[in-house]
Amino acid sequence: MATTMLRLSLLLILLSSVVSDKCNPQDKKALLQIKKDLNNPYLLASWDQNTDCCDWYTVKCDHETHRIISLAIIDSGPSNFSAQIPPSVGELPYLETLEFHKLPKLTGPLQPAIAKLTNLKYLRISNTNLSGSVPSFLAQLTNLTNLDLSFNNLTGSIPDSLSQLSNLGSLRLDHNNLTGSIPSSFGSFKSNLDIILSHNNLTGTIPPSIGNLNFTHIDLSRNKLEGDASSIFGPNKMVQIVDLSRNNLTFNLSNVEFPTSLTSLVINHNKVYGNLPQGLTKLKFQFLNVSYNRLCGQIPVGGTLQSFDIYEYFHNKCLCGSPLPKCTSN
């Protein structure tokens, strides 16, 4: 009996050793350094040097190579997590996904070491206290398909070089303190990406080159943008959601041709003038708000336009008709 138990114990030790060997030693070393640099948070309690790092919480390994391909540190509860992004994240060369999310005490700038992660496809650092600028070195991550730096304290201007990310499909820089203008180079993105730049302090005009893109979602709301935004629209576009609200945009809505794909149009609190085009009756809006502008004329009858209440139309120069009061001869 004792011999049998001894053999079982040796077998378990052997199996444990085999399992632990799956984790690449260099990746494991980098992860343990990350944990140390983050002041050993409880969130990473499973990161034990005596276990296989492929089994650690927030970590994902490739099934064949066993290299670390995903690191997603997300805290869904109250946290005392206080640190900066460790430079050691740059020592995980096979990373395809990197996330730091809902970590309000994560501070400091974006680490230049992130530029070493050339296999990165998804970068999300959001809902943190990250500060500093949006670094131009992000343009070196040419495999990126998603870049999300929303809900931080980033300042400065948006670098032109981001347009070099030819595979980018989604760009989120919203809810920061960014200033300056939208780079005209954004019109040269190779892919048709969604752009969300809302809740910043961006100024200037929307570059006409943006009209070259065929995104499905664009949100430039709550900035200080001026001028014409009509290049965003067009009969051959595939855009579904447009939010340009709370800017200083000035353009004639009468001549705008809207794509049939449009389901959400929010342009309230601007200086948009002209009439509501009859073509809007052909669209199936889920959200619509044109209030607080300089629009005139009768609201076209048909489609979903009368399904919205007065608050989506009021405070215009002389807009009338259901759901607003009837138009008069005057």
Side-chain angles (χ1 to χ4, degrees):
M1 182 67 178
T3 303
T4 302
M5 291 299 295
L6 178 61
R7 289 176 178 174
L8 284 174
S9 298
L10 291 173
L11 180 60
L12 289 173
I13 293 171
L14 179 61
L15 288 174
S16 176
S17 175
V18 170
V19 170
S20 65
D21 287 341
K22 288 183 178 180
C23 181
N24 180 273
Q26 294 304 314
D27 287 353
K28 191 171 195 177
K29 179 180 178 182
L31 288 171
L32 290 172
Q33 185 62 49
I34 290 171
K35 180 182 179 181
K36 180 180 178 181
D37 293 342
L38 293 175
N39 300 315
N40 299 305
Y42 177 75
L43 184 65
L44 306 181
S46 67
W47 291 23
D48 186 335
Q49 62 179 350
N50 297 317
T51 61
D52 182 8
C53 70
C54 291
D55 295 330
W56 291 356
Y57 183 60
T58 77
V59 168
K60 182 179 179 181
C61 286
D62 182 270
H63 292 302
E64 295 182 0
T65 65
H66 305 294
R67 298 304 298 258
I68 303 296
I69 58 172
S70 176
L71 174 60
I73 300 179
I74 301 171
D75 196 356
S76 58
S79 173
N80 292 318
F81 200 107
S82 181
Q84 296 192 17
I85 297 175
S88 42
V89 297
E91 303 306 317
L92 296 170
Y94 289 84
L95 267 189
E96 297 178 5
T97 296
L98 177 61
E99 290 187 75
F100 290 94
H101 181 54
K102 290 186 177 180
L103 301 169
K105 293 188 178 180
L106 188 70
T107 61
L110 272 164
Q111 286 290 344
I114 291 176
K116 297 164 64 176
L117 305 175
T118 56
N119 288 304
L120 210 58
K121 297 179 181 178
Y122 186 99
L123 176 59
R124 181 192 193 192
I125 304 176
S126 61
N127 294 82
T128 76
N129 250 320
L130 203 69
S131 59
S133 62
V134 178
S136 57
F137 66 68
L138 292 174
Q140 300 174 39
L141 304 176
T142 55
N143 287 309
L144 273 185
T145 59
N146 289 271
L147 175 58
D148 183 351
L149 301 178
S150 61
F151 290 90
N152 294 301
N153 289 313
L154 298 174
T155 56
S157 59
I158 302 173
D160 292 350
S161 57
L162 291 185
S163 62
Q164 298 173 24
L165 297 172
S166 58
N167 294 304
L168 202 63
S170 177
L171 174 63
R172 289 197 59 175
L173 300 176
D174 54 292
H175 292 84
N176 281 289
N177 297 303
L178 300 175
T179 55
S181 59
I182 299 173
S184 59
S185 62
F186 273 23
S188 62
F189 271 108
K190 295 293 191 301
S191 58
N192 294 316
L193 79 165
D194 294 337
I195 300 178
I196 303 178
L197 306 177
S198 66
H199 295 79
N200 280 291
N201 293 300
L202 299 175
T203 55
T205 60
I206 298 173
S209 60
I210 290 289
N212 298 331
L213 302 179
N214 199 3
F215 31 65
T216 58
H217 185 184
I218 182 168
D219 187 349
L220 306 178
S221 64
R222 294 180 182 270
N223 281 289
K224 300 174 183 177
L225 300 170
E226 302 174 340
D228 192 355
S230 58
S231 63
I232 289 173
F233 307 100
N236 299 319
K237 297 291 185 66
M238 297 299 294
V239 62
Q240 298 175 16
I241 301 172
V242 175
D243 191 343
L244 305 174
S245 62
R246 297 182 182 274
N247 280 288
N248 295 306
L249 298 169
T250 306
F251 61 98
N252 188 345
L253 199 67
S254 309
N255 303 321
V256 174
E257 293 187 78
F258 294 96
T260 57
S261 56
L262 192 64
T263 60
S264 179
L265 176 64
V266 182
I267 58 172
N268 55 290
H269 290 84
N270 279 290
K271 300 175 183 178
V272 181
Y273 59 94
N275 302 323
L276 291 178
Q278 185 67 32
L280 293 177
T281 61
K282 299 178 181 179
L283 306 182
K284 297 180 179 179
F285 285 112
Q286 297 177 11
F287 299 96
L288 176 69
N289 194 332
V290 298
S291 64
Y292 289 92
N293 278 293
R294 300 176 179 179
L295 297 169
C296 272
Q298 182 168 350
I299 298 172
V301 177
T304 58
L305 296 185
Q306 277 65 49
S307 66
F308 300 98
D309 60 33
I310 187 174
Y311 301 105
E312 272 66 53
Y313 293 102
F314 74 164
H315 282 283
N316 272 288
K317 185 178 181 181
C318 49
L319 201 60
C320 57
S322 178
L324 293 175
K326 292 182 180 180
C327 298
T328 64
S329 57
N330 293 328

